[in-house]
Amino acid sequence: MENYDEEEVQEVEVDDGKKRKIPLRSNVWAHFTKLPCGNKGKCHHCRKTFAANRGNTTNLKNHLDRCRSYQDVKVEGDPKQQVLFRQKGKDKDDGVVKVSGGFSQEACRMALVKMIVKDELPFSFVEAEGFLEFMQTCCPRFDVPSRRTITRDILELYQHEKGLLKSVLGASKQRVCITTDTWTSIQMSNYMVITAHFIDAEWVLHKRILSFTPIANHKGDGIGKLIETCLIDWGIERLFTITVDNASANKVAITYVKKKLANWSVNSMILNGLYMHVRCSAHIINLIVQDGLAEVNHSIASIRNAVKYVRSSPARLQKFKTCVDREKISYGGLMVLDVPTRWNSTYLMLHKAVVFEKAFDRMKEDDGHYVNWFVEEEGEKKREGPPSDDDWGNARRLVNFLSVFYCVTLKFSSSLNVTSNDYLNEMARVLIHLKSLATSSDDLLRKMAEKMEQKFAKYWGDSFDQVNMLLFVANVLDPRCKLEFVTFCFSNMYESRKVEELKSNIKELLMKLYNSYIGGSDVRNSGGVCCGDIYDGSSGGGGGGGGGGASASSNIMSIDLFSSFKMMKQSSNDDISSKNDVEKYLTDVNESASDAHFDILTWWKLNGHRYPILSQIAKDVLAIPVSTVASESAFSTGGRVLDPFRSSLTHKTVESLICTQNWLRSTLLGERIIQPTQEETEFYEVIEAEFGRPIVAQQEQAAEE
């Protein structure tokens, strides 16, 4: 018989007509809700309904013993006792003491799903014997899901995280910059990745993979259609720039995207998409350097083969380490083998190999197989090498020569820091470096510099056909630089006549952007009062007689001239303020260029209120990535996800794994997505409601009419 609280009883009539007291409440009712029908109870934990006829709660009690949801939240011992645990930090000794919230089946399952996504574990990991034994020991109450359940959970997590990010991008009125690239997997499937770059309301730069989908081919229309599909799927209607490499198909793709965006909305593109196309600067540097390296192919190939020999077997590597020790070379690691199509990996290989020059020379003496290996044929020709003294001399000169390009590539390749404001500075460094070496007495370096300067002129010459001028505007929006630094860079690169022309064009473009963000050229006349508003013409005309004069006099007297004057003055002040916003920024004192810890986003966050329109331009322009490295890095993840053992994964599962990992790791790295402030939202809504089309679109429409 159940234990009842005798204080809670009710009288009921039994069959013989007599009344009998029966208990109303049992301890078990703390976990059930009695339904209106009176003979059923609904479990608080699993929400299921069970019978409780004539006050008998045995059925309910038996369910409570079996209810998994109740067992998850059940606390053994003193329910008031809190459990403390130490959450580990990045370092071994770091950590935070927190209060445990109790066991939760759902929380453990979600943590397991995130672990599999972040650490790129196979789905069958959850069914491995060792993992099951581990979970049975440390958390026996956790019901480990199957790999099929994990697959469904990953897809649900992907949709959940996508919804959160989509709501942010949809709520934000700012423009988004994207990068894209294509890749072929080990299963010979073509994939295309699209990455979004934007700065949130707290001036934090973000990059998020939006799409990792298969593509039928590498043609321009196919790329353009995938970009269009991605923008529609994510609800992105404001696109600022697209950064791609220099393949001709990408130019066709951007033309396609601009054509489609023009049909969406007048605000989909800025300045009619004239500055949407951004060429990958890291790719241009690669093309420039590869032209120069052609002059020393023999020396590079010789050293590459020497490194390849050492790394080809453990026995050879051990012999090489013995030579290194005997030559008393202090080293922090062995050489790396380069990828011939990636010059920066060639630079790293040479940079490391020249340290071990004496060790390689000793290999010739101590290892008879070393020299014989170079005599053998590889394919249909003899291997280059072993490296001679001339080859090592060329390598040392190359390392010094290429160090500038390596540093520039590192700057361009950053994806978690602003790069657009460094574009002009780094471009100028490259050209000045090439010009100085073009007059060098060293024949090798001079020939390399001359060839590289020709390639430089193709992409970054003084015609600027291939250069996106928004990247120069980004340098102007750096408070340490402004127009003075831009002029200084140009003066070291081009003749004086060209410098003044470029300076004028950049300032003109900044003003076009400014007017476009305001919304229209007629903004200065809105709300103004002119004489025609006061003297409406009724006082003019010689045939009006006395009656006309009286009417005019009455009209003038009925107007509050002081209020009209105040409105006109306010309109004039607003016009001056908007007109001089750019001028105010350019004439203000520059920030110190010697501050090594200067953060441009923090500066705009603190000073943006002084230039409200210009700060919106800066938020969009500074988000422009100057390279496609952010998208290319996704292929490293793709290669691990689509390894030979996971070739059966569907395209949707692959996209879910890669995108979700990117989103989860971004949060892990401290990035945060901030919703736009109320002021920013109102700013964009007012601009759209009041002015609609950008100034350039209005001007073009007027010209056509």
Side-chain angles (χ1 to χ4, degrees), residues 242-248 250-252 254 274-285 287-288 423 427 454-472 494 498 502 626:
I242 304 176
T243 303
V244 290
D245 62 28
N246 293 281
S248 57
N250 287 324
K251 187 175 181 180
V252 177
I254 292 178
L274 185 61
Y275 302 97
M276 180 176 288
H277 188 180
V278 179
R279 287 174 170 81
C280 175
S281 299
H283 188 246
I284 294 175
I285 289 288
L287 295 175
I288 292 173
Y423 174 81
M427 190 179 79
Q454 292 175 5
K455 182 69 76 170
F456 182 97
K458 177 181 178 180
Y459 293 102
W460 289 335
D462 56 5
S463 63
F464 290 102
D465 295 335
Q466 308 284 334
V467 178
N468 192 316
M469 300 291 284
L470 285 178
L471 298 177
F472 296 152
Y494 310 110
K498 192 68 178 179
L502 287 170
V626 299

Side-chain angles (χ1 to χ4, degrees), residues 310-472:
V310 169
R311 291 172 56 91
S312 60
S313 74
R316 292 173 178 176
L317 183 60
Q318 186 57 46
K319 287 182 180 179
F320 182 76
K321 289 182 177 179
T322 302
C323 294
V324 170
D325 293 336
R326 289 181 178 180
E327 291 295 333
K328 301 187 183 303
I329 299 174
S330 58
Y331 59 95
L334 293 178
M335 300 81 59
V336 292
L337 189 62
D338 72 328
V339 179
T341 57
R342 297 281 183 171
W343 77 267
N344 50 338
S345 68
T346 302
Y347 166 81
L348 293 174
M349 179 189 71
L350 296 176
H351 185 272
K352 206 76 172 175
V354 293
V355 177
F356 300 100
E357 177 185 352
K358 293 182 180 180
F360 280 106
D361 290 340
R362 193 176 187 95
M363 286 281 288
K364 294 179 184 179
E365 304 170 3
D366 297 353
D367 186 357
H369 298 290
Y370 177 69
V371 176
N372 294 333
W373 186 78
F374 288 94
V375 177
E376 299 173 2
E377 291 187 355
E378 188 174 31
E380 297 181 355
K381 60 181 181 179
K382 173 179 166 293
R383 290 189 178 98
E384 300 280 0
S388 64
D389 291 341
D390 290 339
D391 294 330
W392 288 115
N394 290 339
R396 282 190 294 271
R397 285 183 287 173
L398 273 177
V399 169
N400 292 330
F401 175 66
L402 296 177
S403 60
V404 171
F405 298 93
Y406 183 73
C407 293
V408 170
T409 301
L410 287 180
K411 283 237 180 139
F412 284 160
S413 302
S414 175
S415 58
L416 292 178
N417 298 307
V418 176
T419 55
S420 56
N421 65 315
D422 286 327
Y423 174 81
L424 176 58
N425 181 30
E426 301 305 321
M427 190 179 79
R429 284 180 62 191
V430 170
L431 182 57
I432 293 171
H433 185 55
L434 291 177
K435 284 187 173 182
S436 64
L437 290 173
T439 59
S440 172
S441 58
D442 189 320
D443 291 339
L444 175 63
L445 295 183
R446 185 177 68 253
K447 290 179 181 179
M448 290 181 61
E450 289 173 352
K451 291 192 66 174
M452 294 168 72
E453 194 172 357
Q454 292 175 5
K455 182 69 76 170
F456 182 97
K458 177 181 178 180
Y459 293 102
W460 289 335
D462 56 5
S463 63
F464 290 102
D465 295 335
Q466 308 284 334
V467 178
N468 192 316
M469 300 291 284
L470 285 178
L471 298 177
F472 296 152

Side-chain angles (χ1 to χ4, degrees), residues 657-700:
L657 288 169
I658 292 176
C659 291
T660 308
Q661 184 197 74
N662 173 258
W663 302 337
L664 294 177
R665 284 186 172 179
S666 295
T667 305
L668 187 68
L669 292 173
E671 289 185 335
R672 58 195 188 283
I673 300 179
I674 306 297
Q675 294 280 4
T677 62
Q678 184 68 23
E679 293 76 8
E680 288 180 316
T681 303
E682 292 176 353
F683 166 80
Y684 283 113
E685 290 176 349
V686 168
I687 291 299
E688 288 183 358
E690 293 292 330
F691 304 110
R693 304 189 66 186
I695 179 173
V696 174
Q698 293 180 2
Q699 290 173 344
E700 290 182 351

Side-chain angles (χ1 to χ4, degrees), residues 367-603:
D367 186 357
H369 298 290
Y370 177 69
V371 176
N372 294 333
W373 186 78
F374 288 94
V375 177
E376 299 173 2
E377 291 187 355
E378 188 174 31
E380 297 181 355
K381 60 181 181 179
K382 173 179 166 293
R383 290 189 178 98
E384 300 280 0
S388 64
D389 291 341
D390 290 339
D391 294 330
W392 288 115
N394 290 339
R396 282 190 294 271
R397 285 183 287 173
L398 273 177
V399 169
N400 292 330
F401 175 66
L402 296 177
S403 60
V404 171
F405 298 93
Y406 183 73
C407 293
V408 170
T409 301
L410 287 180
K411 283 237 180 139
F412 284 160
S413 302
S414 175
S415 58
L416 292 178
N417 298 307
V418 176
T419 55
S420 56
N421 65 315
D422 286 327
Y423 174 81
L424 176 58
N425 181 30
E426 301 305 321
M427 190 179 79
R429 284 180 62 191
V430 170
L431 182 57
I432 293 171
H433 185 55
L434 291 177
K435 284 187 173 182
S436 64
L437 290 173
T439 59
S440 172
S441 58
D442 189 320
D443 291 339
L444 175 63
L445 295 183
R446 185 177 68 253
K447 290 179 181 179
M448 290 181 61
E450 289 173 352
K451 291 192 66 174
M452 294 168 72
E453 194 172 357
Q454 292 175 5
K455 182 69 76 170
F456 182 97
K458 177 181 178 180
Y459 293 102
W460 289 335
D462 56 5
S463 63
F464 290 102
D465 295 335
Q466 308 284 334
V467 178
N468 192 316
M469 300 291 284
L470 285 178
L471 298 177
F472 296 152
V473 172
N475 208 270
V476 175
L477 294 175
D478 189 328
R480 300 167 298 175
C481 303
K482 301 186 181 179
L483 274 176
E484 293 88 346
F485 181 77
V486 173
T487 306
F488 175 76
C489 287
F490 285 148
S491 65
N492 284 277
M493 300 168 65
Y494 310 110
E495 57 186 21
S496 58
R497 178 185 59 81
K498 192 68 178 179
V499 171
E500 290 301 321
E501 179 185 349
L502 287 170
K503 178 182 177 182
S504 175
N505 291 343
I506 293 171
K507 187 173 181 180
E508 181 182 354
L509 174 58
L510 183 57
M511 288 305 303
K512 284 183 179 179
L513 285 171
Y514 182 77
N515 291 330
S516 179
Y517 275 64
I518 289 178
S521 58
D522 58 345
V523 64
R524 66 186 63 193
N525 294 325
S526 61
V529 181
C530 63
C531 293
D533 296 325
I534 302 177
Y535 301 95
D536 60 356
S538 58
S539 59
S551 176
S553 176
S554 174
N555 188 29
I556 293 174
M557 293 302 294
S558 65
I559 294 175
D560 185 352
L561 292 178
F562 182 76
S563 297
S564 298
F565 171 75
K566 186 167 69 171
M567 290 174 61
M568 183 179 67
K569 190 69 175 176
Q570 182 64 40
S571 176
S572 176
N573 291 339
D574 292 344
D575 177 40
I576 292 174
S577 175
S578 63
K579 177 182 177 182
N580 292 334
D581 199 5
V582 174
E583 294 294 339
K584 180 182 178 183
Y585 169 76
L586 295 177
T587 55
D588 283 347
V589 178
N590 290 18
E591 294 294 326
S592 173
S594 60
D595 185 3
H597 303 288
F598 180 81
D599 186 346
I600 187 172
L601 295 182
T602 300
W603 188 92

Side-chain angles (χ1 to χ4, degrees), residues 139-356:
C139 191
R141 287 189 291 172
F142 177 55
D143 185 14
V144 179
S146 67
R147 60 181 175 181
R148 296 185 181 276
T149 303
I150 285 293
T151 304
R152 290 194 298 269
D153 287 349
I154 288 174
L155 295 176
E156 291 178 3
L157 177 63
Y158 164 75
Q159 293 295 340
H160 173 73
E161 293 292 328
K162 181 178 180 179
L164 294 178
L165 181 56
K166 192 174 181 178
S167 65
V168 173
L169 293 175
S172 174
K173 298 293 183 178
Q174 67 191 54
R175 300 184 181 274
V176 174
C177 304
I178 66 173
T179 59
T180 181
D181 205 352
T182 54
W183 171 70
T184 302
S185 71
I186 193 173
Q187 290 80 25
M188 301 308 295
S189 298
N190 297 323
Y191 283 88
M192 176 173 157
V193 62
I194 300 175
T195 308
H197 305 256
F198 61 96
I199 297 174
D200 65 20
E202 288 295 313
W203 290 89
V204 177
L205 178 65
H206 299 276
K207 66 177 181 69
R208 296 291 187 277
I209 296 177
L210 301 183
S211 171
F212 194 93
T213 54
I215 183 172
N217 53 59
H218 298 282
K219 295 182 179 180
D221 286 344
I223 295 174
K225 289 178 181 178
L226 270 185
I227 295 176
E228 177 191 17
T229 301
C230 177
L231 296 177
I232 293 174
D233 180 37
W234 282 87
I236 298 174
E237 298 182 356
R238 289 170 167 263
L239 190 61
F240 198 59
T241 61
I242 304 176
T243 303
V244 290
D245 62 28
N246 293 281
S248 57
N250 287 324
K251 187 175 181 180
V252 177
I254 292 178
T255 302
Y256 176 90
V257 172
K258 289 196 289 187
K259 178 182 177 182
K260 296 302 179 181
L261 288 179
N263 300 329
W264 289 9
S265 167
V266 294
N267 293 318
S268 295
M269 299 178 290
I270 198 71
L271 301 181
N272 292 331
L274 185 61
Y275 302 97
M276 180 176 288
H277 188 180
V278 179
R279 287 174 170 81
C280 175
S281 299
H283 188 246
I284 294 175
I285 289 288
N286 187 49
L287 295 175
I288 292 173
V289 176
Q290 290 291 0
D291 266 23
L293 292 181
E295 294 291 328
V296 287
N297 270 342
H298 172 76
S299 297
I300 296 175
S302 298
I303 296 175
R304 180 183 296 125
N305 285 332
V307 175
K308 188 184 297 184
Y309 173 84
V310 169
R311 291 172 56 91
S312 60
S313 74
R316 292 173 178 176
L317 183 60
Q318 186 57 46
K319 287 182 180 179
F320 182 76
K321 289 182 177 179
T322 302
C323 294
V324 170
D325 293 336
R326 289 181 178 180
E327 291 295 333
K328 301 187 183 303
I329 299 174
S330 58
Y331 59 95
L334 293 178
M335 300 81 59
V336 292
L337 189 62
D338 72 328
V339 179
T341 57
R342 297 281 183 171
W343 77 267
N344 50 338
S345 68
T346 302
Y347 166 81
L348 293 174
M349 179 189 71
L350 296 176
H351 185 272
K352 206 76 172 175
V354 293
V355 177
F356 300 100

